[in-house]
Amino acid sequence: MTDRIEDSPLYRIANPRSIAIFGASNKFTAMGTGILSSIKQMGYDGPIYPVHPREETVQGHKAYSSVLDLPETPDLAIIVLPTPVVPEVMEACGQKGIGHAIVVSGGFREVGPEGAALEKQLNEAAARHNMRFLGPNCIGAVNTHFKFNATFLPCDHPPGFIGMASQSGSFITQMFDYLGRYNLGFSTGFSVGNEASVDIVDCLEYLAKCPDTRVIALYIESIRRGREFIDAARKIVPHKPVVAYYVGGTEAGGRAGLSHTGALAGADRVYDGVFRQSGVIRAHSIEEMFDICWCLGTTALPRGNRVVIQTHSGGPGAVAADACARNGLELPSIEDQTREKLAEYIPSTGSMNNPVDLTFTKRNLDYFVDIPNVLLQDNNVDALMVYMMMPRRMVLMVAETTGVSMEEAKTLAAQFISDQSRQLADSMRNAKKPWIGYSYYSAESDFIQKLYEAGAPVLPGPNRAARALGAMHEYGQLREKLSK
Amino acid sequence: MTDRIEDSPLYRIANPRSIAIFGASNKFTAMGTGILSSIKQMGYDGPIYPVHPREETVQGHKAYSSVLDLPETPDLAIIVLPTPVVPEVMEACGQKGIGHAIVVSGGFREVGPEGAALEKQLNEAAARHNMRFLGPNCIGAVNTHFKFNATFLPCDHPPGFIGMASQSGSFITQMFDYLGRYNLGFSTGFSVGNEASVDIVDCLEYLAKCPDTRVIALYIESIRRGREFIDAARKIVPHKPVVAYYVGGTEAGGRAGLSHTGALAGADRVYDGVFRQSGVIRAHSIEEMFDICWCLGTTALPRGNRVVIQTHSGGPGAVAADACARNGLELPSIEDQTREKLAEYIPSTGSMNNPVDLTFTKRNLDYFVDIPNVLLQDNNVDALMVYMMMPRRMVLMVAETTGVSMEEAKTLAAQFISDQSRQLADSMRNAKKPWIGYSYYSAESDFIQKLYEAGAPVLPGPNRAARALGAMHEYGQLREKLSK
């Protein structure tokens, strides 16, 4: 592991000052054209040199018939060409003195012996010129903080804090909208493809040093350099959490991975062992992986596993309690002094057990600020889970009681929801103990949408919230163990 | 179990021809006012008689100071009053000859001995007049096909096919928006509360006979009449699937249920046994329960557990394969004749293994219609899972290649997405084998939103899709066993 991020083989892949692109044209169905569109759309502001055998210009950029004709040596070559020509193009790039490449083209090792032979040629060309490259058979890379999206799909989410390396390009590009839904996003995302030159361990080391990355996510079908993976992760985990989703644990999953990237998977328990030794948190789905990243990146780490649940609805409270128990979390009784403080907020139909169930009958305003703060001060409590919903009608009704017209009530309600969600998100972010929300509502609710926008972790449902909190507790323990 | 739905104690609770409401006023913060608003908003067209001690009119309806003064005997009384007066109001309703009630008020058995005494009085009043009622401590009932929503929250989803009985009112009302997101909805939903008069077994029997209900969902914290539950379910399951989410299986979940509705929960394995004997499918979260209902209500039942996965992205294919394996599903090899038929559609980078991975390189149109149909004809295949996404940019690009302007391309793309999704949803619905979609995209994608609108089951993510398909297979087996 090098010390400076600039020394990583991935640095100029993720932060190129200038690029050459092969395979982009004015033909809109071409993959390379799509990648160039993405690069331009995100606002990349370095020089772009399309290399094209016939076109004068490509998407408004002067095109060159050979890479050797470029007026400067770009930092990065992006290659999206038919497989057989890729090795010779790599050779030409090397001759030009280009140090790094992203090879998007597929048809190499993953398709059999013939492809493997081409991949060998590709490696040899790169080796002759000390080039390092991402891929082949990958979907590119994105660095939202550098305004660089070299993938086929547009990335509309804001610059984020999740650094990801993925053995499937889909789990970079096809997650843009998924993450954007919750106002999350990648800091940097690498699709590693066949890992012929840089692999997931290189990505891990790069992301560890990336200042925009608060948490590292990995999609893994197979780890090729097991020992190096474990060593790298053990050094990183005390400073930055790593969450991995491994898919090859079943026979069917393993077979699918094999025909996807030629990866040889190992049994679940082998990978469980690898992750345990590495200090890596194992997620069991893509969604779970991002849920855990979301919480780790936005709220404090729990010191223990004792959770208090706050709800105004019995069912969602009971479900959360059950989910906590299934995720290694305990539900302590709250302290007597907490009960005393809560007494003024909780009506007779409410419960001061854990879940603390306020029912529906008292002031709405206390629910999101005062009561959570009382609960967080409890010494028996390591973390807070709050059920969140605020039906528009309820807010409208309260607004109307002030004697205003329905039109004014609507304005007041919108203002109220906006103010409350901003305040609430601030409180959640600044709390010294983790405080996460859960809800069955999502973007269709103004309130929840505003909370997402303000950066609050409001997880979709109690099971996902409890699992994420359980994983945070797990990370706390792993970090402590590895820091010794 | 009675034979006619009209004989169910719940019939006039879910289909009242006229109603009296206690506790609705012109004060907007009152729960009863909210319920009356909901009733009106959904378009209930029977007579509504508010009973109020002082008001002349309530929300535009003539109010009566006593139920005894009503000009007719309504089918149903809805009672949302302070706990202590509820028994005497029930008595008055009985004197008026009202046969059914919904008691929303809480503060009965669930709060301790004093409340239990009031609940006993309530029961005695009802018994004196042969009245049956839902609750107390419930949040009402909704029958979308009868335009009757007697709950506190507005229900905007279209009339649906999921009949639900819930020991938490939240899992009726707070699911309206959740289900609506996927264009799903309740046929009828009952919040059973303390089950003093009608219980979850009565609901089960009602929903079994409800012609609008294709699948029954249950949220359970405790079953009070275990024997009756099993007997009823065993008769129903051969004709209509029942899916239950039970939450009391952990100590924490059980304790939460106790303070919620006073329910005494049993261990997980006890309920596993009850569900197995009953032929009820056990879900492990609210979301999973509705996922299973979604698939059961919209696509054919599988004859076996052999699934073929179709994808154009390796990662989402591998994840689906892994998820299938974890849910009791097998991934067979496809037949030689299927391979021959597929050959014309699949490029060299694609795979004819299972997952069938088409990669990105050939015509988009084949993906959603021709290829699924080829796969469904395979004799090794009992069910089809298709990864679904259609990025707008991709469609725009294809449209542009026809030489039209960007403006025209947008119109063409929207039309294309709309046509494709409608055709696709029809094919999915009419297939003789189950065919479900999965995607990480949701309403933010035009294509997925249109698929929801057209009634296609496109589940959020491969894990949820595989679990739902596994549960469908489980139901097929349970049905066969119980039909013997």
Side-chain angles (χ1 to χ4, degrees):
Chain A
M1 186 148 84
T2 63
D3 278 356
R4 291 169 6 110
I5 189 168
E6 292 80 2
D7 297 334
S8 162
L10 285 153
Y11 186 68
R12 286 298 166 207
I13 290 174
N15 304 268
R17 289 162 301 191
S18 51
I19 54 179
I21 181 161
F22 300 77
S25 69
N26 299 310
K27 203 180 121 204
F28 284 95
T29 44
M31 173 81 95
T33 303
I35 291 179
L36 182 51
S37 299
S38 297
I39 290 171
K40 290 158 63 90
Q41 191 199 23
M42 195 176 257
Y44 175 74
D45 59 8
I48 298 171
Y49 303 107
V51 180
H52 195 280
R54 289 172 310 274
E55 302 283 359
E56 292 272 309
T57 61
V58 168
Q59 295 187 47
H61 297 268
K62 178 171 162 51
Y64 297 83
S65 61
S66 163
V67 65
L68 300 172
D69 299 340
L70 301 190
E72 65 166 318
T73 298
D75 276 345
L76 178 70
I78 300 171
I79 304 173
V80 202
L81 293 170
T83 325
V85 305
V86 175
E88 65 201 64
V89 167
M90 190 67 117
E91 174 66 33
C93 288
Q95 285 174 16
K96 180 69 180 175
I98 298 176
H100 297 90
I102 296 175
V103 183
V104 174
S105 315
F108 291 93
R109 190 183 50 199
E110 79 281 8
V111 300
E114 209 174 317
L118 280 168
E119 191 164 314
K120 189 160 168 283
Q121 288 176 36
L122 181 66
N123 281 331
E124 288 164 355
R128 274 193 293 278
H129 302 284
N130 286 317
M131 292 180 75
R132 299 299 299 274
F133 63 98
L134 197 63
N137 186 30
C138 80
I139 210 153
V142 61
N143 177 352
T144 56
H145 296 267
F146 194 70
K147 293 190 183 169
F148 179 62
N149 175 20
T151 76
F152 182 69
L153 291 179
C155 174
D156 298 321
H157 67 59
F161 59 76
I162 301 170
M164 180 155 176
S166 176
Q167 287 176 343
S168 161
S170 305
F171 293 133
I172 302 295
T173 54
Q174 294 172 32
M175 297 296 114
F176 293 155
D177 287 1
Y178 176 84
L179 292 173
R181 195 189 299 165
Y182 304 114
N183 199 36
L184 296 172
F186 293 120
S187 48
T188 293
F190 295 112
S191 158
V192 296
N194 291 4
E195 300 176 281
S197 169
V198 296
D199 69 359
I200 210 150
V201 179
D202 297 308
C203 294
L204 192 57
E205 293 179 333
Y206 174 86
L207 294 169
K209 284 175 282 201
C210 168
D212 301 314
T213 296
R214 281 185 231 153
V215 46
I216 299 172
L218 304 173
Y219 169 76
I220 294 173
E221 292 183 355
S222 162
I223 299 175
R224 290 163 219 259
R225 291 194 290 153
R227 190 68 256 160
E228 291 84 349
F229 179 89
I230 294 172
D231 290 345
R234 288 176 69 90
K235 284 186 196 131
I236 294 164
V237 167
H239 313 288
K240 205 177 267 190
V242 183
V243 189
Y245 174 42
Y246 169 64
V247 84
T250 59
E251 202 214 322
R255 261 191 287 123
L258 181 62
S259 61
H260 177 210
T261 53
L264 279 172
D268 261 347
R269 64 192 160 69
V270 174
Y271 275 78
D272 270 335
V274 169
F275 293 140
R276 207 178 310 112
Q277 279 187 68
S278 311
V280 168
I281 300 162
R282 182 169 182 183
H284 297 88
S285 70
I286 289 290
E287 297 91 332
E288 185 178 304
M289 181 179 72
F290 288 127
D291 286 346
I292 297 169
C293 291
W294 190 359
C295 292
L296 282 168
T298 52
T299 186
L301 213 58
R303 293 196 165 196
N305 71 339
R306 299 165 309 164
V307 178
V308 64
I309 295 163
Q310 177 188 322
T311 181
H312 46 46
S313 301
V319 169
D322 197 68
C324 281
R326 293 181 200 278
N327 283 287
L329 300 169
E330 282 175 32
L331 267 63
S333 292
I334 54 175
E335 293 177 312
D336 287 343
Q337 63 188 72
T338 307
R339 286 170 195 273
E340 284 163 29
K341 287 189 230 166
L342 283 180
E344 66 168 297
Y345 301 105
I346 297 193
S348 68
T349 46
S351 159
M352 289 214 216
N353 294 322
N354 187 359
V356 174
D357 184 355
L358 284 74
T359 70
F360 263 108
T361 40
K362 279 210 179 173
R363 291 162 301 185
N364 234 312
L365 299 172
D366 304 330
Y367 186 85
F368 294 111
V369 181
D370 294 5
I371 297 172
N373 281 326
V374 168
L375 291 172
L376 280 168
Q377 282 162 26
D378 192 299
N379 292 307
N380 292 348
V381 166
D382 297 312
L384 173 63
M385 256 174 79
V386 180
Y387 181 57
M388 292 192 178
M389 62 165 291
M390 194 193 277
R392 209 179 166 66
R393 180 195 281 184
M394 218 182 284
V395 184
L396 272 175
M397 281 177 176
V398 177
E400 272 203 320
T401 57
T402 62
V404 301
S405 72
M406 192 56 174
E407 231 16 73
E408 284 175 281
K410 277 185 186 165
T411 312
L412 279 177
Q415 190 58 49
F416 174 78
I417 285 174
S418 179
D419 290 349
Q420 283 283 303
S421 52
R422 205 167 323 115
Q423 259 187 53
L424 176 52
D426 284 346
S427 304
M428 291 172 80
R429 196 174 11 249
N430 297 328
K432 295 209 171 55
K433 296 177 183 174
W435 169 2
I436 66 175
Y438 67 101
S439 189
Y440 294 101
Y441 290 79
S442 184
E444 73 279 344
S445 152
D446 299 354
F447 178 57
I448 302 297
Q449 176 60 29
K450 291 273 175 206
L451 283 171
Y452 293 156
E453 286 169 18
V458 182
L459 278 85
N463 305 71
R464 290 173 64 171
R467 168 59 188 138
L469 209 45
M472 288 184 85
H473 174 242
E474 197 186 316
Y475 172 62
Q477 291 183 307
L478 288 165
R479 189 173 72 159
E480 199 173 326
K481 203 179 91 191
L482 291 179
S483 300
K484 274 174 191 162
Chain B
M1 186 149 88
T2 63
D3 279 356
R4 290 168 7 111
I5 190 167
E6 292 80 2
D7 296 334
S8 162
L10 286 153
Y11 186 67
R12 285 298 165 208
I13 291 175
N15 305 269
R17 287 162 300 191
S18 51
I19 54 179
I21 181 161
F22 300 77
S25 70
N26 298 310
K27 201 179 123 205
F28 283 95
T29 44
M31 173 80 97
T33 303
I35 292 178
L36 182 51
S37 298
S38 298
I39 291 170
K40 289 160 63 95
Q41 191 199 24
M42 194 174 258
Y44 175 73
D45 60 7
I48 298 172
Y49 303 108
V51 179
H52 195 282
R54 288 171 311 272
E55 302 282 0
E56 291 273 307
T57 62
V58 167
Q59 295 185 46
H61 296 269
K62 178 171 162 48
Y64 297 82
S65 60
S66 163
V67 65
L68 299 172
D69 299 339
L70 302 189
E72 65 165 320
T73 298
D75 275 345
L76 178 70
I78 300 171
I79 304 173
V80 202
L81 293 170
T83 324
V85 306
V86 174
E88 66 201 64
V89 167
M90 191 66 118
E91 174 65 33
C93 288
Q95 284 175 15
K96 181 68 180 178
I98 299 176
H100 297 89
I102 295 176
V103 183
V104 174
S105 316
F108 291 92
R109 190 183 51 200
E110 79 282 8
V111 300
E114 209 173 318
L118 280 168
E119 191 164 313
K120 189 160 170 281
Q121 288 177 35
L122 181 67
N123 281 331
E124 287 165 355
R128 271 193 295 278
H129 301 284
N130 286 316
M131 292 180 76
R132 298 300 297 274
F133 63 98
L134 197 63
N137 186 31
C138 79
I139 210 154
V142 61
N143 178 352
T144 57
H145 296 267
F146 194 70
K147 294 189 182 170
F148 179 63
N149 174 20
T151 76
F152 183 68
L153 291 179
C155 175
D156 298 320
H157 69 58
F161 58 76
I162 300 170
M164 180 156 175
S166 176
Q167 287 175 343
S168 161
S170 305
F171 293 134
I172 302 296
T173 55
Q174 294 172 33
M175 296 297 115
F176 293 156
D177 287 1
Y178 176 84
L179 293 173
R181 194 188 298 165
Y182 304 114
N183 199 36
L184 296 172
F186 294 120
S187 47
T188 294
F190 295 112
S191 159
V192 297
N194 291 4
E195 301 176 281
S197 169
V198 297
D199 69 0
I200 211 151
V201 179
D202 297 308
C203 293
L204 191 58
E205 292 178 334
Y206 174 86
L207 294 169
K209 283 174 283 199
C210 168
D212 301 313
T213 296
R214 281 184 232 155
V215 45
I216 299 171
L218 304 174
Y219 169 75
I220 294 174
E221 293 183 356
S222 164
I223 299 174
R224 292 163 218 258
R225 290 195 289 153
R227 190 69 254 161
E228 290 84 349
F229 179 89
I230 295 172
D231 290 346
R234 289 175 69 90
K235 283 184 196 136
I236 294 165
V237 167
H239 313 289
K240 203 177 269 190
V242 182
V243 189
Y245 175 41
Y246 169 64
V247 85
T250 61
E251 202 213 323
R255 262 191 286 121
L258 181 61
S259 60
H260 179 208
T261 52
L264 279 171
D268 261 347
R269 64 191 160 68
V270 173
Y271 274 78
D272 270 334
V274 169
F275 292 140
R276 206 177 312 113
Q277 277 187 68
S278 311
V280 168
I281 301 162
R282 183 169 180 183
H284 297 89
S285 70
I286 289 290
E287 296 91 331
E288 184 178 306
M289 180 179 73
F290 287 128
D291 286 347
I292 298 169
C293 290
W294 191 359
C295 292
L296 284 167
T298 53
T299 186
L301 213 57
R303 293 198 165 194
N305 70 339
R306 300 165 309 163
V307 178
V308 65
I309 295 163
Q310 178 188 323
T311 181
H312 46 46
S313 302
V319 169
D322 198 68
C324 282
R326 293 180 200 278
N327 284 287
L329 301 169
E330 282 175 32
L331 266 63
S333 293
I334 54 174
E335 293 177 310
D336 287 343
Q337 63 188 73
T338 306
R339 286 171 195 272
E340 284 163 30
K341 285 189 230 166
L342 284 180
E344 67 168 297
Y345 301 106
I346 296 194
S348 68
T349 46
S351 160
M352 290 213 214
N353 295 323
N354 186 2
V356 174
D357 184 354
L358 283 74
T359 70
F360 264 109
T361 41
K362 280 208 178 172
R363 290 162 300 187
N364 233 313
L365 299 173
D366 303 331
Y367 186 85
F368 295 111
V369 180
D370 292 5
I371 297 173
N373 281 326
V374 168
L375 291 172
L376 280 168
Q377 282 162 25
D378 191 300
N379 291 308
N380 291 348
V381 167
D382 298 312
L384 173 62
M385 256 174 79
V386 180
Y387 181 57
M388 291 193 180
M389 63 166 292
M390 195 193 276
R392 208 180 167 66
R393 180 195 281 184
M394 217 181 284
V395 184
L396 272 176
M397 282 176 175
V398 177
E400 270 202 320
T401 57
T402 62
V404 301
S405 72
M406 192 57 174
E407 233 12 77
E408 284 175 283
K410 278 186 185 163
T411 313
L412 279 177
Q415 190 58 50
F416 174 78
I417 285 174
S418 178
D419 289 350
Q420 283 283 302
S421 52
R422 204 167 325 113
Q423 257 186 53
L424 176 51
D426 284 347
S427 302
M428 292 172 79
R429 198 174 11 250
N430 297 328
K432 295 211 170 54
K433 296 177 184 174
W435 169 1
I436 66 174
Y438 68 100
S439 189
Y440 294 100
Y441 291 79
S442 182
E444 73 278 346
S445 152
D446 300 355
F447 177 56
I448 303 296
Q449 176 60 30
K450 291 273 175 206
L451 283 172
Y452 294 156
E453 285 169 17
V458 182
L459 277 84
N463 305 69
R464 289 172 64 171
R467 168 58 187 138
L469 209 45
M472 287 183 84
H473 174 241
E474 196 186 316
Y475 172 62
Q477 291 183 307
L478 288 165
R479 188 173 73 160
E480 198 172 325
K481 203 179 92 191
L482 291 179
S483 299
K484 271 169 193 166

